[in-house]
Amino acid sequence: MANRQQKTETGGFFQRLMDSIFKSSDPEAEKRRIMKGIAKDLSKTKFKFYKYNGDEVQPAFAKTFYAIYKTVAPANSFFQTTQNEKALQNLVMHSLMSNKQLDLIEKLSEENIVALSKTATLQQLNDQVQNWIEQFVSDFDSSTITKIDTVYTQLLLFKAFCAYDYYFMLKKFDSSMRELDFNSAPQFEPINGKYIVEDLKDFMSIAWVITESESWSDLFAMLKKIRDIEPIPQNTWLKLLTRLREIKRSQVFEMMLRLIQQEPTYQLVLKESGEHITDQYIGKIRHQAEIVINELKRQQKTSKIDSLASSIFGTTSVQRMKNYTEEQSLVFEKRNLGAFVYHQPMNYAKAFILDYIKKDVRELSDLVLVRGKWATAALSTSISDSYHAILELSDKILEFDESLAESSTLSGKLKNLITRCERDKEAMNILNTVLGDINDSARAILVTCVQNLVIFAKNIKMLVEDYQKQRPELITNWKELEHFADKPVNTILVSVYKQIYNFVTLMQSFLN
């Protein structure tokens, strides 16, 4: 007896040894052996979803999905009216924020900020908005943020699970089945496994992530708060999750996919779930408020520019430049390639020099510089130098504008670069540099103009003060000058000073 047992054990040992040596030489045989093992493990589960012999998915599989389909169908109507992701984010944020935060959102709305701008300065308005934003952000503690992000993540998973196309897969088992018709039981038939592979993978990628969430009370409380009803009774949902977890633990779906695809090592890779919307939402509220403030600033600046231009030129529409113009700027702007940034102030500067400096200011300069008797020649130098520097700018502006004429080398270079930009990144960089240089030149002219006008205006102000003195210190023959002027000299001086002041203020609107 002992001898026989020893022979048996010896024979078993040698058989295992032979198997270990030779099984690797036939990969297909080894694969078949593993597949049979998977099929055997699958048959031991209580879920009779698949028959390996015949490669058939059984009606029991379809019945399980039909039960899920019937359970989640009522929730689809909820999500059909709330499809937009931003709308879902707003639902979660608004349902979980405090009343104080909801009140602050109202205060930070465009309507409220615009209304407040009518009774407050822009600085006061900006300070108030920043204060509201700080209050809004400070109420988000870590627990609130975690709760919001968790509920939103669950909402997306719940939506995806409910919106899964159960009908599409179930119709493969019963072609006569009607969508959302639960009045009559479908007659499911076995089908070939290959027809459900992708459907099953898509389902698992959603369902297995859902089973990782333990508590769903916050989500269902939120949904009930929004619609006053639960899309699915919470206890029904929890029972469904228990069923899904049981199926997941059994790995029955994984084994089915390995057998159907003939991939013994197949494993579904799940994407990590976890949404973070609080910071994004706060950023959106902040950004929206800043857009309103910036638009109000832009409107105020535009209104100020229009008012000053009208007071100086009698119109807001001033066109003196021929090439550095808004029309030519649009050639670049439409292609998002840049712009002629200072075309508007350059028009104003050229018009001011030609229409005012070379006429009204020239008459005043001739009066005080030529006919005026200065206490010392040195006192007149500053006003004379600044006046002539302003006049010289007229030639510089003309030269600058002509450099961009249709026939110019620079204009040809710009056209060539525009043509190449769509296919050549380096051309884009070169164009940005060239436009930058052109705009820098325009700005330099404007800055020089303003600097000399400020010097000239300061001298005019000194002359106004000197004129009003009983014993003038700069010009000694003011009374004599009155005979050579069409208007009282003091009136002319004050008028020129105001016009230059207004023009400098206009230019600073563009240069600051």
Side-chain angles (χ1 to χ4, degrees):
M1 179 91 177
N3 189 32
R4 188 185 304 161
Q5 182 177 356
Q6 186 177 5
K7 287 181 179 179
T8 302
E9 291 176 354
T10 303
F13 168 76
F14 280 110
Q15 183 62 49
R16 289 194 297 275
L17 180 61
M18 294 294 286
D19 288 344
S20 67
I21 293 172
F22 294 107
K23 69 179 181 180
S24 60
S25 64
D26 187 355
E28 286 302 315
E30 174 63 12
K31 181 178 177 180
R32 287 194 296 272
R33 187 186 69 80
I34 295 174
M35 298 301 286
K36 286 181 180 178
I38 295 172
K40 185 176 180 180
D41 290 341
L42 179 60
S43 67
K44 290 179 181 179
T45 69
K46 70 175 186 177
F47 303 105
K48 307 306 176 185
F49 291 160
Y50 178 73
K51 188 179 289 185
Y52 183 49
N53 293 330
D55 186 23
E56 287 185 337
V57 183
Q58 300 300 298
F61 175 87
K63 288 178 181 177
T64 296
F65 275 83
Y66 181 76
I68 298 173
Y69 178 42
K70 192 173 181 178
T71 300
V72 302
N76 274 327
S77 60
F78 173 86
F79 291 112
Q80 284 172 359
T81 58
T82 319
Q83 290 284 347
N84 186 276
E85 189 174 308
K86 294 296 181 185
L88 291 175
Q89 289 180 5
N90 288 340
L91 281 176
V92 174
M93 294 297 303
H94 286 212
S95 65
L96 297 177
M97 286 189 295
S98 66
N99 289 332
K100 176 185 174 183
Q101 287 174 313
L102 293 174
D103 181 57
L104 286 168
I105 287 178
E106 281 294 318
K107 290 180 177 178
L108 289 166
S109 68
E110 179 178 355
E111 294 78 7
N112 187 65
I113 294 175
V114 171
L116 190 60
S117 70
K118 295 174 181 176
T119 57
T121 66
L122 275 177
Q123 186 59 52
Q124 291 171 333
L125 183 63
N126 188 68
D127 292 344
Q128 180 62 77
V129 166
Q130 293 305 318
N131 179 258
W132 285 335
I133 290 174
E134 288 175 12
Q135 291 182 50
F136 179 69
V137 174
S138 66
D139 269 17
F140 284 103
D141 55 31
S142 59
S143 62
T144 302
I145 293 173
T146 300
K147 185 176 182 179
I148 287 171
D149 291 342
T150 300
V151 170
Y152 182 65
T153 300
Q154 287 183 327
L155 178 61
L156 291 186
L157 292 171
F158 182 70
K159 176 178 179 286
F161 186 81
C162 295
Y164 177 81
D165 200 344
Y166 297 96
Y167 172 70
F168 177 76
M169 182 168 66
L170 291 171
K171 195 170 176 63
K172 297 175 182 179
F173 293 87
D174 180 1
S175 61
S176 64
M177 179 180 170
R178 295 182 178 179
E179 190 170 12
L180 297 176
D181 182 2
F182 303 109
N183 294 322
S184 57
Q187 301 301 310
F188 296 128
E189 299 289 338
I191 64 171
N192 187 280
K194 67 181 180 181
Y195 295 119
I196 58 94
V197 169
E198 296 305 321
D199 298 323
L200 185 53
K201 287 179 182 179
D202 290 343
F203 177 79
M204 291 165 64
S205 67
I206 302 169
W208 284 185
V209 177
I210 279 182
T211 58
E212 295 173 0
S213 263
E214 295 296 331
S215 174
W216 291 78
S217 55
D218 288 335
L219 173 65
F220 275 80
M222 184 200 77
L223 294 175
K224 188 170 184 179
K225 179 181 178 182
I226 294 169
R227 293 291 175 84
D228 200 31
I229 57 170
E230 292 179 331
I232 301 174
Q234 189 172 349
N235 61 338
T236 302
W237 173 249
L238 295 177
K239 287 178 182 177
L240 175 55
L241 287 180
T242 300
R243 175 74 166 169
L244 289 173
R245 290 189 183 106
E246 188 181 9
I247 294 173
K248 182 182 178 183
R249 280 194 300 270
S250 73
Q251 293 215 339
V252 61
F253 287 166
E254 285 81 357
M255 287 188 283
M256 285 175 62
L257 288 172
R258 289 168 192 159
L259 293 171
I260 296 169
Q261 299 179 119
Q262 291 291 294
E263 296 180 24
T265 60
Y266 174 79
Q267 188 68 42
L268 182 70
V269 178
L270 299 177
K271 294 180 181 179
E272 291 186 11
S273 65
E275 300 289 335
H276 303 283
I277 63 170
T278 309
D279 288 344
Q280 182 183 359
Y281 185 84
I282 291 172
K284 183 188 76 171
I285 295 296
R286 186 194 304 274
H287 182 61
Q288 288 175 344
E290 288 173 351
I291 286 176
V292 177
I293 293 291
N294 289 336
E295 176 59 20
L296 289 170
K297 288 180 179 178
R298 187 196 67 78
Q299 290 176 4
Q300 186 184 71
K301 180 179 178 180
T302 300
S303 177
K304 180 181 178 182
I305 288 172
D306 288 348
S307 176
L308 286 168
S310 293
S311 69
I312 297 167
F313 304 106
T315 178
T316 59
S317 179
V318 176
Q319 186 65 45
R320 292 292 190 278
M321 304 294 283
K322 295 179 180 179
N323 304 299
Y324 189 75
T325 63
E326 181 180 13
E327 183 180 2
Q328 290 303 312
S329 180
L330 290 174
V331 173
F332 305 102
E333 293 176 45
K334 287 178 179 178
R335 294 177 173 83
N336 293 317
L337 300 175
F340 285 162
V341 179
Y342 300 105
H343 64 82
Q344 190 175 5
M346 285 293 281
N347 272 308
Y348 288 149
K350 186 174 182 180
F352 190 71
I353 294 172
L354 291 177
D355 300 347
Y356 191 70
I357 298 295
K358 288 191 173 184
K359 293 180 181 178
D360 296 40
V361 177
R362 183 192 294 274
E363 292 175 3
L364 174 63
S365 297
D366 288 346
L367 182 69
V368 296
L369 291 174
V370 177
R371 297 184 181 277
K373 293 181 180 179
W374 291 77
T376 65
L379 293 175
S380 66
T381 301
S382 178
I383 191 169
S384 177
D385 289 348
S386 59
Y387 170 67
H388 285 97
I390 296 167
L391 290 179
E392 289 173 6
L393 282 174
S394 176
D395 293 334
K396 289 186 178 180
I397 292 173
L398 179 62
E399 181 183 343
F400 168 80
D401 198 32
E402 285 300 314
S403 72
L404 293 165
E406 183 76 19
S407 58
S408 70
T409 302
L410 183 54
S411 178
K413 184 176 183 179
L414 288 172
K415 288 176 183 177
N416 178 263
L417 289 169
I418 290 172
T419 303
R420 289 168 49 199
C421 272
E422 293 182 3
R423 62 183 186 278
D424 186 351
K425 187 176 181 181
E426 183 59 27
M428 172 84 76
N429 295 332
I430 296 172
L431 178 62
N432 288 336
T433 300
V434 173
L435 279 176
D437 291 343
I438 292 170
N439 289 323
D440 287 345
S441 296
R443 180 182 175 84
I445 291 172
L446 294 171
V447 169
T448 302
C449 180
V450 168
Q451 289 172 341
N452 284 293
L453 282 170
V454 168
I455 294 170
F456 188 80
K458 286 181 178 178
N459 282 293
I460 294 297
K461 187 178 180 182
M462 290 170 59
L463 291 179
V464 171
E465 293 169 351
D466 189 64
Y467 179 91
Q468 295 171 349
K469 291 178 180 178
Q470 288 186 348
R471 294 182 178 179
E473 298 173 1
L474 299 178
I475 294 178
T476 59
N477 64 332
W478 283 115
K479 289 184 179 180
E480 181 184 334
L481 294 181
E482 292 286 0
H483 299 296
F484 299 100
D486 295 335
K487 298 178 183 178
V489 174
N490 187 60
T491 302
I492 297 173
L493 289 169
V494 171
S495 176
V496 167
Y497 176 80
K498 286 182 177 179
Q499 280 292 77
I500 292 176
Y501 176 85
N502 286 339
F503 183 78
V504 168
T505 304
L506 176 64
M507 290 296 99
Q508 287 172 337
S509 298
F510 295 102
L511 296 174
N512 290 342

